[in-house]
Amino acid sequence: MASIRITSYGTGHHDTPTADDPVVVDTTALHNPPDDPAVRATLTQLTGRHPDVVAYVMATPGAAQLLDTTRRAVERRIADGEQHVDVHVHCYGGRHRSVALAGLLTTALTTPGHHVQVSHRHIDRPVLPSRTTT
C-alpha cells in the first residue's frame, strides 16, 4: 500500500515542512480571498475547508489543471515504485488556497491501495497581511 502525506502550509510563516524530494505545489497564482475586496469580509474568516472558499479558489482559471497535474505526478511516483510520497501544498498564509487544494487532492488520491494523510500546518494562524499590498 502506498502512503501519501499531504501538508498544506503558508510560506509567510517561514517554517516550511521538510521531506526528501516532495511533490511541491505552488497555489499562489490562485484566487486569494484576503486579496479580493468583493469577498474579503465573508471568506477571509473561513478556511480552505469551507465549500465557499474551495469554490472561490477553484474558480481560478487553471486551478483544475493544477489539481490534476499534481494528482498525476503523485500517481506516477507510485507507479514508479515509491511507497511513500510527500506532497507540500503552499500559498502565502496557509489558510485558504493551499488548504482548499490539499483537501481536494486528498479526496482525489484516496483510492484502494493508497493511505492518504493530510495536515494543515497553518490553518489556525491569523490571516497574514497581503504581499500584494504596497
Side-chain angles (χ1 to χ4, degrees):
M1 177 175 285
S3 172
I4 304 164
R5 183 173 48 196
I6 301 169
T7 305
S8 73
Y9 67 100
T11 58
H13 296 288
H14 307 291
D15 64 340
T16 303
T18 58
D20 291 333
D21 195 27
V23 173
V24 178
V25 184
D26 181 354
T27 66
T28 56
L30 303 180
H31 293 285
N32 188 23
D35 293 340
D36 184 346
V39 299
R40 184 180 300 134
T42 56
L43 298 186
T44 299
Q45 301 311 310
L46 304 173
T47 71
R49 288 182 173 156
H50 194 281
D52 290 346
V53 174
V54 173
Y56 176 80
V57 170
M58 293 307 292
T60 309
Q65 291 83 358
L66 178 61
L67 177 64
D68 188 56
T69 298
T70 304
R71 180 194 55 76
R72 285 187 283 118
V74 172
E75 292 286 359
R76 191 169 32 257
R77 285 190 177 197
I78 292 167
D80 288 345
E82 287 189 40
Q83 293 298 306
H84 178 80
V85 180
D86 280 294
V87 183
H88 293 173
V89 184
H90 71 85
C91 59
Y92 183 63
R95 289 180 49 95
H96 301 103
R97 296 169 290 181
S98 63
V99 171
L101 199 78
L104 292 170
L105 189 58
T106 299
T107 300
L109 290 169
T110 300
T111 61
H114 294 170
H115 174 71
V116 183
Q117 295 176 289
V118 65
S119 64
H120 303 293
R121 195 171 183 133
H122 300 128
I123 194 169
D124 294 323
R125 300 266 181 102
V127 174
L128 293 175
S130 176
R131 291 186 314 173
T132 60
T133 305
T134 55

